[in-house]
Structure formats: structure tokens, C-alpha cells
Amino acid sequence: MASSPKAPADPIDARLVRKLADILTDTGLSEIEVEHGGLKIRVAKQLTAAPVQYAVSAPAAAAAASAAGPAAAAAPAAAPAAPVHAGEVIKSPMVGTIYMQAQPDSPPFIKVGDTVAAGQTLMIVEAMKTMNPIPAPKGGKIVEILVEDAQPVEFGEPLVVIE
């Protein structure tokens, strides 16, 4: 009775591969390679970059649409163009959170239609727990307020239009 030849043992240890994959996941590495004797195992995971999407926040879009009238609301949002504002656009000097009043129960610093003096506080940008007043660069009438209270803003984001 002849015995059948044994199949060669699988040189790759599946437990080792799984352990290496777990190490990748735990450490955030993208690949790892181990060599032992004549056996070399390399485990790599494919990294895919998440698509970047830019969008106007809903409160700012709603404020701009309501201020511009029904024609602007009917315009398609597929290809947003930079809005053209009549007057001087005051932009955020920093990244932070906008506050429209000094205290939650206080009246807002400005409203559309208000007349402001040069240097008057228009709103506050909180950045790193510091409250930074945004002064009016010139006197004039508030034509548009492009942000909402407690809204996060980026550097250079339009905040207010003064005419």
C-alpha cells in the first residue's frame, strides 16, 4: 500500500498575515514588511483620498437668497459664481466663530439697514478662546449680512457689505 505524497505545507501563516493587517489598522501605517528565514511577507493597504467638496453653508446661502430676491432663489446652484456685492465687502481676518452680539441675550451689533461709523464693532470672531471685534473700516449703511450668529468662518470669508 503506497501512501500518497504529502502536499507541501503552506509556507504562509494566515494568522501572521492577519496580525500584520491588524498592526496596520492599529498604527495607521499603510504597509508593513516582515522577513523571517527565507520567507518575506509584505502587507499593504491601499489608501484612497476622500473627495473634497466645497459648499456654502445653508444659513449664508439662505440669507443671500432672501436678500437678493426670488430671481436669485430660482438660479441653479450647480455652478456657483462669486457673488457681486454693491459696496465694500468686509472679510474675516481669521478662522473662527462669528458672534453677532456681545452676549447671548444682548441685541445684535448690527442689522441690515443700520448706519455705522468707522471703527464701530460689526461683530466678533472668536478664535482660540479670544474674542476679536471686527470694526467697520468706514462709515456707511449695512447692505447685507452674509453670515449667521455662531457660524464658523474661514480667513477671507465675506461677512458684511457696507455701502
Side-chain angles (χ1 to χ4, degrees):
M1 187 174 210
S3 65
S4 63
K6 279 189 171 182
D10 190 6
I12 299 175
D13 182 1
R15 288 178 295 161
L16 176 60
V17 173
R18 288 186 194 278
K19 187 167 184 150
L20 292 172
D22 289 341
I23 290 172
L24 288 180
T25 302
D26 293 344
T27 61
L29 296 172
S30 60
E31 66 181 67
I32 190 168
E33 188 173 312
V34 176
E35 188 171 347
H36 182 67
L39 180 64
K40 187 177 191 180
I41 298 176
R42 180 176 167 267
V43 178
K45 62 181 176 181
Q46 183 177 2
L47 299 176
T48 57
V52 177
Q53 292 183 332
Y54 296 98
V56 175
S57 64
S66 66
V84 177
H85 301 287
E88 183 174 345
V89 177
I90 312 307
K91 297 180 179 181
S92 178
M94 63 193 72
V95 174
T97 302
I98 285 291
Y99 292 105
M100 303 300 290
Q101 64 271 353
Q103 299 291 325
D105 55 345
S106 299
F109 291 112
I110 57 169
K111 297 184 298 286
V112 173
D114 285 355
T115 301
V116 295
Q120 179 179 336
T121 299
L122 302 174
M123 54 191 63
I124 295 173
V125 177
E126 177 190 9
M128 298 175 57
K129 305 283 184 197
T130 302
M131 300 299 177
N132 303 284
I134 306 300
K138 67 174 190 170
K141 181 180 174 185
I142 302 296
V143 178
E144 257 183 296
I145 300 174
L146 305 169
V147 291
E148 297 284 326
D149 189 45
Q151 174 186 330
V153 294
E154 297 293 325
F155 172 78
E157 183 173 335
L159 304 174
V160 178
V161 179
I162 296 180
E163 190 172 73

